[in-house]
Amino acid sequence: MNEETKFDVVPFTKASTLVDVIIGLRYEIENGKIEKRLAIIKARGSNHSRKIYRYEITSKGVEIYE
């Protein structure tokens, strides 16, 4: 797996001093299908979830699954 797609490796970009929320997006192959994953890397002033969620982009918007 490419280092840029891992959630356990966040590149040093100095962006964390400029933004309130950093969201990580990646793809995984599961059961022969490409699945989209999302994680909140940083949320300023928030005790946010550390979980990785599956998501889909649908005609109704973004659907996030537990």
Side-chain angles (χ1 to χ4, degrees), residues 5 7-8 21 26 34 38-40 42 53-54 56 65:
T5 60
F7 286 138
D8 59 346
V21 179
R26 72 175 182 199
I34 296 174
L38 171 145
I40 305 300
K42 174 190 177 230
Y53 297 95
R54 187 175 65 83
E56 293 179 9
Y65 306 101

Side-chain angles (χ1 to χ4, degrees), residues 3-63:
E3 287 295 316
E4 295 174 4
T5 60
K6 290 185 177 181
F7 286 138
D8 59 346
V9 177
V10 179
F12 179 71
T13 62
K14 298 184 183 177
S16 65
T17 61
L18 302 174
V19 297
D20 290 328
V21 179
I22 297 174
I23 299 172
L25 303 174
R26 72 175 182 199
Y27 295 105
E28 284 185 0
I29 298 175
E30 190 171 299
N31 299 324
K33 291 179 23 181
I34 296 174
E35 299 279 343
K36 297 177 184 80
R37 301 283 190 239
L38 171 145
I40 305 300
I41 307 298
K42 174 190 177 230
R44 188 183 310 248
S46 170
N47 187 16
H48 63 281
S49 171
R50 304 288 196 254
K51 292 175 62 176
I52 297 172
Y53 297 95
R54 187 175 65 83
Y55 75 97
E56 293 179 9
I57 301 172
T58 70
S59 61
K60 296 179 182 179
V62 178
E63 304 268 345

